Amino acid sequence: MLINQQGEDFTVKKTAIIVAAVLFFSTAGAAGYLSIPFTISKNNQFHKQLNQSDYDSQNTMNRLTEIMDKNEADSLFIMEGQNVLAEYGESDQISNVASVRKSLISALFGIAESKGLINVDQTLEELGIDDTKNPLSEKEKQATVEDLLKARSGIYITSLGESKDMKEKRPERGTYSHNEHYYYNNWDFNTLGVIFEQETGTSLGEAFYEWIAKPTEMKKFQPSNVVYQESEETSMPMYRFYMCAEDLARFGSLYANDGKWRDKQIIPENWIDASFEAYSEITDVDRFTGYGYLWWLEKQKDQMLQWAVGAGGQYVVVDRESKISLAMMNNTGTSPLGVFWYRTFDGGEEPYSDVRDVFELAKNSIMKRQK
């Protein structure tokens, strides 16, 4: 009888979900979901398995599993140097990395600068960059590429991908000149994508694939995993990256290892240093103390961590001292129905504290081994 009751309850819930989905996608409410570009991915032929790092695997995995089983994350991949330290869940499942995309494009700017393709000191005026839906003033056009990398452009206009909090905190237009004030600004971040493609003649997806994914032998990332979304309110499209936890950890390992993969320099070391310098003090976001070139910085006593963070529970944590790179992800949907399901019936994300606990567990296991 109990089994039958559970089965009936499940059937009722399933029916309700199907009805809700049908009603939603038959109304205008679905427009926002259906306008979001999506992508799929398959394994790359150049992918190579990572070696296993030497650590107390059983004890560490037991504790790690306890943490992961009680939070919302779907996957975890931790690297020490360029070996795998621990793995949990579907680490090859691609998902929208949300604002982690900003740290990804920062790396592309560092490589492009080293190739002589981009000069971060150039102004928007010199580059011929303008928002045709909201034309920039002469004052706003004096912002440099570096100002945008620091989120200090002084340009405060509508942009794609803004959260409610970002809109509420946006200063009045014309309040500050470039490099006078920090504001976490999606207009800056989206415009960097336009600048990169204009100056290099290469799409973000192709550049990341050739410059980073191939050299680090990523498992899933392909050029089609960068998609674009446009709006009537701004001429600056928003780029989205879809990646898996293993590939994000490989990306993070470049920053943890001074820009190198094995013995090859992929991202210039001086760009890594510049990216992790605090150009702004952060006082309105818990945990973080500074902002670099599209990376969040956390300084606690003698420890400095670098974070890339995306809505929905996407994280990359880098510790250059211990050479740790950690990627924790939550699958927020890779199709209209998948996004609808996540936002309607899931919608959770693990807090920073869980990510921090996993990081500390990894670091402690390394320290214990070194004693």
Side-chain angles (χ1 to χ4, degrees):
M1 190 67 177
L2 180 60
I3 295 176
N4 290 339
Q5 183 63 50
Q6 288 177 330
E8 290 172 5
D9 288 345
F10 177 76
T11 301
V12 171
K13 287 181 181 178
K14 185 177 179 181
T15 302
I17 290 170
I18 292 172
V19 170
V22 170
L23 288 174
F24 180 83
F25 283 105
S26 64
T27 66
Y33 292 92
L34 297 175
S35 68
I36 298 174
F38 297 94
T39 185
I40 59 174
S41 189
K42 59 183 179 180
N43 288 356
N44 290 317
Q45 292 184 345
F46 54 74
H47 172 253
K48 290 184 181 179
Q49 296 277 359
L50 298 170
N51 294 326
Q52 182 71 49
S53 186
D54 179 25
Y55 74 112
D56 184 5
S57 59
Q58 193 57 56
N59 289 339
T60 300
M61 279 305 300
N62 288 344
R63 176 63 185 131
L64 186 149
T65 301
E66 288 178 12
I67 297 172
M68 296 297 293
D69 282 350
K70 68 181 182 181
N71 68 29
E72 297 288 341
D74 293 310
S75 59
L76 170 74
F77 204 91
I78 309 174
M79 294 177 62
E80 178 194 5
Q82 277 147 7
N83 297 323
V84 57
L85 186 69
E87 183 179 359
Y88 178 95
E90 298 179 343
S91 60
D92 61 347
Q93 173 68 53
I94 68 166
S95 185
N96 178 11
V97 304
S99 288
V100 171
R101 70 191 179 107
K102 296 151 192 176
S103 301
L104 301 177
I105 197 177
S106 176
L108 293 181
F109 269 84
I111 298 172
E113 183 189 55
S114 71
K115 293 177 178 289
L117 300 174
I118 285 177
N119 178 357
V120 299
D121 293 325
Q122 282 190 292
T123 66
L124 299 185
E125 183 175 44
E126 291 170 333
L127 293 168
I129 295 293
D130 201 354
D131 190 324
T132 57
K133 304 289 178 64
N134 298 285
L136 302 182
S137 67
E138 289 304 310
K139 176 183 176 182
E140 290 170 330
K141 289 180 181 179
Q142 302 317 303
T144 66
V145 175
E146 185 178 33
D147 292 330
L148 272 61
L149 289 165
K150 297 175 181 178
R152 298 176 65 92
S153 72
I155 300 171
Y156 310 123
I157 55 182
T158 299
S159 63
L160 270 165
E162 288 182 300
S163 66
K164 181 175 180 290
D165 184 62
M166 292 165 74
K167 291 177 180 178
E168 290 174 350
K169 290 181 178 178
R170 186 199 301 146
E172 289 291 326
R173 194 168 180 181
T175 303
Y176 300 101
S177 296
H178 72 98
N179 203 30
E180 278 188 355
H181 179 74
Y182 163 82
Y183 162 65
Y184 189 74
N185 190 354
N186 256 24
W187 192 91
D188 291 3
F189 309 141
N190 294 340
T191 301
L192 284 169
V194 174
I195 293 171
F196 180 89
E197 295 190 344
Q198 171 184 295
E199 295 303 293
T200 65
T202 306
S203 71
L204 295 172
E206 284 290 347
F208 195 88
Y209 181 76
E210 294 293 337
W211 297 354
I212 296 177
K214 276 187 176 180
T216 59
E217 302 159 331
M218 287 185 176
K219 188 169 189 176
K220 288 281 189 176
F221 184 85
Q222 295 169 18
S224 60
N225 292 154
V226 176
V227 298
Y228 301 83
Q229 186 173 1
E230 297 184 348
S231 167
E232 292 298 320
E233 297 181 316
T234 174
S235 62
M236 299 302 170
M238 179 172 69
Y239 52 92
R240 296 172 182 263
F241 274 76
Y242 285 79
M243 294 181 69
C244 66
E246 178 180 334
D247 289 351
L248 274 184
R250 287 175 184 248
F251 169 75
S253 76
L254 290 174
Y255 279 83
N257 293 277
D258 302 326
K260 291 183 179 179
W261 183 261
R262 309 305 181 199
D263 295 322
K264 184 177 180 182
Q265 196 77 42
I266 306 300
I267 305 172
E269 185 173 356
N270 64 347
W271 186 264
I272 304 286
D273 294 336
S275 298
F276 291 165
E277 187 170 328
Y279 302 104
S280 302
E281 181 182 355
I282 303 301
T283 58
D284 61 344
V285 180
D286 290 343
R287 184 174 302 282
F288 303 130
T289 55
Y291 199 74
Y293 283 171
L294 308 183
W295 281 88
W296 297 99
L297 311 177
E298 178 195 357
K299 186 173 183 180
Q300 289 191 354
K301 297 179 181 179
D302 59 345
Q303 183 181 63
M304 174 67 83
L305 298 181
Q306 293 81 33
W307 293 68
V309 180
Q314 324 304 339
Y315 297 95
V316 177
V317 184
V318 171
D319 180 14
R320 294 178 81 181
E321 180 184 7
S322 60
K323 306 299 183 187
I324 290 176
S325 168
L326 179 158
M328 189 182 292
M329 296 188 69
N330 196 14
N331 187 355
T332 57
T334 54
S335 68
L337 183 58
V339 172
F340 168 74
W341 182 279
Y342 168 75
R343 294 183 181 176
T344 306
F345 302 106
D346 189 354
E349 60 181 81
E350 66 283 356
Y352 291 93
S353 57
D354 280 357
V355 187
R356 200 60 157 76
D357 286 347
V358 171
F359 166 77
E360 293 294 348
L361 178 65
K363 185 163 186 175
N364 290 338
S365 70
I366 293 172
M367 294 175 63
K368 187 182 297 185
R369 184 197 62 209
Q370 293 173 345
K371 289 182 179 179

